[in-house]
Amino acid sequence: MMVNPKILKFLIIVSLSISYAGYCQGTLEDYQRAEAIDTLYRNKVFNNPSEFHWLNDKEFWYRNNAETGTQYILVNAESKTKKAFFDHSLMAGNLSAALQKNINEKEMDLSEFKIEENQLIFQNDSLKFKMDLQSKQVLVTDTIKRERRSREYWGRRNREDEGKPVLSPDGRYEAFIKNANVYIRQPDSEEEFQLSYDGNEGFFYSPNMLWSPDSKKLMAYKVRPGKEHKIYFVESSPEDQLQPKLQSRDYLKPGDEMDFRSPQLFKVSEKRHLPVATDLFLSQFGLYNFKWEEDNSAFTFEFNQRGHQVYRVIKVDAENGNAAAIIDESSPTFIDYSGKKFRHDVPGKTEIIWASERDGYNHLYLYNSQTGKVKNQITSGEWPVREVIAVDNENRKIYFTASGMDEDQDPYLLHYCSIDFDGRNFTRLTSENGNHQVSFSPDKTYYIDQFSRVDLAPEAVLKKTKSQKIVMELEKASIKALENTGWKMPEVFTTAGRDGETDIWGIIVRPTNFDPNKKYPVIEYIYAGPHSSFVPKSFHSNFWAMSSLAELGFIVVQIDGMGTSNRSKAFHDVCWQNLKDAGFPDRKIWIKEAAKKYPYMDAERVGIRGTSAGGQSAGGALVFNSDFYDVAVASCGCHDNRMDKIWWNEQWMGYPVGPQYAASSNVEHADQLQGNLMLIVGEVDDNVDPASTMQFADALIKAGKDFELVVLPGENHTSGGEFGERKRRDFFVKHLLHVDPPSWDQIYKD
């Protein structure tokens, strides 16, 4: 007789819950410990500077969090000396006198140090000071005025029909828009003349114009406005009034019509308009980075084609208005313009440094900007360039970070390198098995290398750039006080993914009272957005969200599966038009393999939590992967990519909007959901339209599915805040540990 797999799994869970009942996980004590984790771990790692600051080519300072209190250290790289930046006791006394209140020398919070004319200039959080280096007298010189910055909304559309006149570099003329057309006049003059005559209300000129360096030519572009799309929500409980407020935001979604821009060239002295053919930049997602050549011979701009499969650098000849693509990048899947694009125009040269994944990894190329031909590939190998840190034009050298160059290291660990424009003299500046953060001296003669891993305490050393040799040991972090709390170091775990070859990396977090004789359900913390990779690589004492959840009686894991970034192009392309994949085939294998190694990890009781794109994945775990996942908490999820922001979703799901969108939708497939689901959403979320969560809930109700819905009044894009965290913990304890959570009154009482 065939047994329904779901019924069999339920019977196994029941029997296991009876067997595990004596282990008493999810108790009041577990909750109280989880609540105390942040305080318990805080300030328990010493000799771990967060920043280093160069004063000149040879000297730098840093603030060290020593066990005895805050230290300000001055280092001279040339003489290899390290000493107190100043007399801490004297400084505290002089600050106390200047501020007329007691300043503790071990708790001074000072920054922005610089030395000018025998004066040490610095500040705290509200005042600026100077100290005479001879008399040591400290004086307050100014207050720090901090303007309250209003929250900048990511989706705000630039107004192309508003703007000030644009003054020419020589100051003789200003260009402005009148009646949708381009006009020129002398500043403070009534006399004006019209340059364009083809602008109108539906296809008007933008005031975002650009003069040539010699003030003889002008680039302006016409705009045909696209569709306006707003999302609306009700703020139920505003602080300043009793009645609710209706709010709205600009919010383009996949498939919406976008603005079309048409660059035009004007020879100002001749009052001549040279139209520019649009065939190279039709179907626009956007035009960016308009700039004139230094010699006034042309202007360039970048074109991102709708669908993100073509990206061009286009040059417009200033004599005749002819347009040509000098860089023409294409991909059968997508071009990661938001995460990997890099362009550097070499001053005084007809050269462009450009990043491309055309050979399967993100690498740098040197282009001839006149011919559009590749002069040479600069970097190469089965590893990606992660970021260009600096370009030394004079010495024709590039400083950059890369990862995946060492077979015996985690392929996500950042390393620093340098290379010449012609691809020669490739130099590894870091090689230690860690995630590196480098700070160069202004002249690049020295650099500070601070490195760590999640399972390796931080270390900072000073090195010489030419030899990469260590000049001085600076600080080595002490974690003894942290370990004394019972803290367990996260473990890095790797295994082959779905293809049996590609390594998948993640971390395992255990509770402080970990007992290998117990059985622990597994909870995965997921974020699978294709724009990056997300498993931490540097040492942290906390991982608060993961550690606090683990304290309740769980093993918590985080994994980067296929479809995320910072590996090969093929690894990344798994996400293409298939966000529901979210690396789940790799994640399930990873957890199963970890459970084989560690039998206390129960791969039959697996939960998952995530926010935003992670919320979509958490919901998708029970919609598309309920053969493995049992419990999910999805916060502010984009449960249907047609409902979310245009730029992020068309980047990975493609354009035009086709059946692939419905195929990845939790809403469309809500009837497939199995397991226990909690949805959390902020009622005024303007990052992911909250209607996405509500539509998922509606589809689940219509499909007869049981679930929990938590709506947070007044909250924006959030994992849930304090209330959501409580609900999430209780949900996992109830459905994975199969015990009733203690009351909140007991947990949170003083």
Side-chain angles (χ1 to χ4, degrees):
M1 181 179 71
M2 295 293 292
V3 179
N4 186 304
K6 283 291 177 183
I7 295 176
L8 180 61
K9 191 171 185 179
F10 173 76
L11 293 173
I12 292 172
I13 288 173
V14 170
S15 63
L16 288 174
S17 66
I18 295 172
S19 301
Y20 302 150
Y23 289 126
C24 300
Q25 292 156 298
T27 65
L28 174 62
E29 290 75 18
D30 292 331
Y31 268 85
Q32 290 174 334
R33 198 171 53 254
E35 188 67 15
I37 280 294
D38 186 39
T39 303
L40 185 67
Y41 291 168
R42 189 184 301 135
N43 300 327
K44 296 295 192 301
V45 178
F46 299 104
N47 303 320
N48 182 28
S50 59
E51 292 179 323
F52 296 86
H53 309 269
W54 288 90
L55 293 168
N56 50 54
D57 291 337
K58 309 301 180 189
E59 293 180 303
F60 61 91
W61 70 273
Y62 62 92
R63 181 166 54 187
N64 187 41
N65 60 329
E67 290 188 62
T68 56
T70 302
Q71 299 173 333
Y72 292 86
I73 307 294
L74 178 66
V75 178
N76 187 300
E78 196 168 61
S79 62
K80 303 179 185 178
T81 57
K82 185 172 86 167
K83 62 181 182 181
F85 197 174
F86 43 78
D87 184 317
H88 289 59
S89 178
L90 182 60
M91 173 68 85
N94 289 338
L95 277 172
S96 297
L99 299 175
Q100 296 186 336
K101 67 177 182 179
N102 184 54
I103 302 296
N104 188 327
E105 68 175 276
K106 296 180 180 180
E107 298 175 359
M108 292 184 293
D109 186 7
L110 308 176
S111 63
E112 305 299 323
F113 288 95
K114 57 185 177 180
I115 298 174
E116 293 179 357
E117 298 179 354
N118 209 35
Q119 302 279 347
L120 180 64
I121 312 297
F122 60 98
Q123 67 184 51
N124 64 9
D125 63 341
S126 59
L127 297 170
K128 294 183 179 180
F129 305 89
K130 68 177 179 181
M131 182 180 77
D132 187 279
L133 292 176
Q134 291 183 336
S135 69
K136 309 302 181 185
Q137 182 181 11
V138 173
L139 296 175
V140 177
T141 61
D142 200 0
T143 59
I144 298 174
K145 301 177 179 65
R146 301 189 186 278
E147 296 181 5
R148 288 194 64 183
R149 300 177 66 179
S150 58
R151 176 176 172 268
E152 187 71 19
Y153 171 56
W154 68 269
R156 182 180 60 83
R157 299 181 71 178
N158 292 325
R159 292 295 303 267
E160 293 278 18
D161 57 349
E162 295 179 356
K164 297 179 180 179
V166 181
L167 189 66
S168 62
D170 63 9
R172 293 182 60 196
Y173 296 101
E174 60 182 17
F176 64 99
I177 304 301
K178 179 178 176 181
N179 299 325
N181 279 291
V182 180
Y183 283 72
I184 299 293
R185 67 186 172 207
Q186 292 182 339
D188 303 321
S189 171
E190 296 293 328
E191 187 177 350
E192 60 187 36
F193 59 88
Q194 189 170 350
L195 273 183
S196 75
Y197 292 87
D198 57 334
N200 56 63
E201 186 176 340
F203 201 13
F204 56 85
Y205 277 89
S206 167
N208 296 312
M209 297 171 282
L210 194 64
W211 287 92
S212 62
D214 64 6
S215 301
K216 295 181 178 179
K217 306 176 188 73
L218 181 71
M219 185 287 300
Y221 59 79
K222 293 195 293 182
V223 179
R224 182 185 297 119
K227 177 182 178 181
E228 184 180 81
H229 191 148
K230 290 186 180 293
I231 58 171
Y232 297 89
F233 29 72
V234 174
E235 183 183 3
S236 64
S237 311
E239 294 183 357
D240 59 345
Q241 66 183 49
L242 174 64
Q243 297 302 322
K245 289 182 179 179
L246 176 65
Q247 295 195 21
S248 67
R249 300 285 191 277
D250 291 323
Y251 197 102
L252 292 181
K253 295 186 177 184
D256 283 348
E257 183 183 356
M258 301 189 69
D259 293 351
F260 178 81
R261 294 175 175 84
S262 179
Q264 307 291 313
L265 174 65
F266 297 92
K267 292 189 175 183
V268 177
S269 59
E270 302 174 23
K271 300 182 182 179
R272 186 178 171 198
H273 176 190
L274 297 175
V276 178
T278 61
D279 54 305
L280 286 173
F281 47 92
L282 295 170
S283 187
Q284 297 174 13
F285 186 81
L287 303 184
Y288 319 106
N289 300 331
F290 289 91
K291 62 171 66 175
W292 277 92
E293 300 282 280
E294 294 173 332
D295 63 1
N296 308 288
S297 64
F299 67 84
T300 62
F301 61 92
E302 297 172 17
F303 161 65
N304 185 4
Q305 182 173 284
R306 191 82 182 264
H308 309 293
Q309 293 177 296
V310 173
Y311 200 102
R312 295 182 177 126
V313 178
I314 296 173
K315 174 181 281 190
V316 177
D317 190 298
E319 286 304 310
N320 52 34
N322 291 343
I326 55 173
I327 296 178
D328 199 341
E329 198 73 44
S330 63
S331 170
T333 56
F334 57 82
I335 295 167
D336 186 0
Y337 77 98
S338 61
K340 298 189 177 76
K341 189 188 81 67
F342 177 78
R343 171 187 171 187
H344 175 78
D345 293 27
V346 182
K349 304 287 184 180
T350 56
E351 293 175 323
I352 296 176
I353 299 170
W354 181 257
S356 170
E357 290 187 282
R358 66 189 61 172
D359 73 351
Y361 289 86
N362 196 44
H363 281 298
L364 301 176
Y365 296 78
L366 186 66
Y367 269 83
N368 183 313
S369 62
Q370 297 296 315
T371 65
K373 302 294 184 183
V374 175
K375 296 180 69 172
N376 59 268
Q377 184 168 348
I378 301 172
T379 61
S380 61
E382 294 185 352
W383 48 266
V385 170
R386 296 283 293 275
E387 182 183 4
V388 174
I389 303 300
V391 178
D392 183 345
N393 296 301
E394 182 178 351
N395 295 302
R396 297 181 68 78
K397 188 176 290 291
I398 303 166
Y399 296 86
F400 64 96
T401 59
S403 57
M405 296 183 290
D406 304 283
E407 291 186 3
D408 60 343
Q409 293 188 22
D410 182 330
Y412 295 93
L413 297 177
L414 284 175
H415 285 280
Y416 284 68
C417 312
S418 66
I419 196 169
D420 292 348
F421 286 11
D422 60 8
R424 298 177 183 177
N425 296 319
F426 171 76
T427 303
R428 285 280 300 270
L429 299 173
T430 63
S431 57
E432 296 89 342
N433 187 357
N435 201 42
H436 292 257
Q437 178 66 45
V438 161
S439 174
F440 289 98
S441 63
D443 64 358
K444 302 292 191 297
T445 300
Y446 297 95
Y447 60 98
I448 302 153
D449 180 12
Q450 190 173 32
F451 57 92
S452 69
R453 298 191 308 269
V454 295
D455 56 354
L456 177 71
E459 184 175 351
V461 297
L462 175 67
K463 295 179 179 178
K464 194 98 181 235
T465 305
K466 189 173 183 180
S467 64
Q468 303 93 56
K469 300 294 185 183
I470 295 177
V471 175
M472 293 178 66
E473 305 278 351
L474 297 174
E475 300 294 342
K476 192 167 186 177
S478 169
I479 62 171
K480 187 175 181 180
L482 177 64
E483 291 174 323
N484 288 341
T485 67
W487 172 82
K488 297 289 187 293
M489 179 133 8
E491 179 183 348
V492 177
F493 183 78
T494 182
T495 190
R498 70 186 77 180
D499 60 3
E501 298 178 0
T502 306
D503 52 326
I504 304 299
W505 291 73
I507 60 172
I508 299 170
V509 175
R510 300 172 176 86
T512 55
N513 63 347
F514 170 70
D515 181 350
N517 297 310
K518 289 185 178 182
K519 273 281 190 179
Y520 292 87
V522 178
I523 297 177
E524 181 182 353
Y525 176 42
I526 189 170
Y527 193 91
H531 54 281
S532 190
S533 53
F534 305 98
V535 175
K537 299 300 170 184
S538 296
F539 185 89
H540 296 279
S541 62
N542 201 332
F543 304 118
W544 179 81
M546 298 176 70
S547 297
S548 60
L549 198 53
E551 289 303 311
L552 300 179
F554 303 110
I555 298 293
V556 183
V557 302
Q558 189 172 1
I559 308 157
D560 280 319
M562 291 186 186
T564 52
S565 188
N566 299 324
R567 298 284 290 274
S568 68
K569 176 66 170 157
F571 189 101
H572 201 185
D573 277 349
V574 169
C575 74
W576 174 237
Q577 296 190 346
N578 189 26
L579 285 179
K580 76 174 185 295
D581 179 277
F584 277 121
D586 312 302
R587 298 170 188 279
K588 291 188 278 190
I589 291 170
W590 190 97
I591 293 172
K592 289 175 182 177
E593 290 300 310
K596 285 181 184 177
K597 182 177 180 180
Y598 301 117
Y600 51 77
M601 292 177 63
D602 188 353
E604 292 299 318
R605 291 185 294 165
V606 182
I608 189 168
R609 60 151 297 191
T611 301
S612 194
Q616 176 182 4
S617 298
L622 298 189
V623 170
F624 300 108
N625 298 276
S626 60
D627 61 319
F628 185 74
Y629 294 92
D630 306 287
V631 184
V633 179
S635 302
C636 292
C638 160
H639 296 289
D640 188 310
N641 298 103
R642 294 168 293 189
M643 287 291 293
D644 194 29
K645 62 194 76 66
I646 188 171
W647 63 269
W648 198 87
N649 293 274
E650 285 193 7
Q651 168 78 88
W652 316 117
M653 292 298 288
Y655 176 83
V657 175
Q660 73 272 18
Y661 280 80
S664 282
S665 169
N666 293 339
V667 179
E668 294 279 351
H669 301 278
D671 61 330
Q672 297 178 192
L673 183 133
Q674 299 291 326
N676 295 285
L677 173 68
M678 173 179 282
L679 298 174
I680 298 176
V681 65
E683 71 173 358
V684 291
D685 183 353
D686 59 14
N687 186 316
V688 173
D689 186 347
S692 186
T693 294
M694 303 309 287
Q695 289 180 1
F696 188 24
D698 180 59
L700 290 169
I701 292 169
K702 290 174 179 175
K705 301 295 182 179
D706 192 18
F707 65 99
E708 291 195 23
L709 175 63
V710 178
V711 180
L712 300 169
E715 289 291 337
N716 200 289
H717 199 56
T718 177
S719 294
E722 182 179 344
F723 183 83
E725 182 64 29
R726 293 178 182 183
K727 298 292 287 185
R728 180 166 40 246
R729 291 175 184 177
D730 287 355
F731 197 70
F732 283 130
V733 164
K734 181 178 180 180
H735 294 290
L736 283 177
L737 296 176
H738 306 291
V739 299
D740 290 328
S743 73
W744 290 0
D745 288 341
Q746 289 179 292
I747 298 167
Y748 299 104
K749 68 181 179 181
D750 293 336

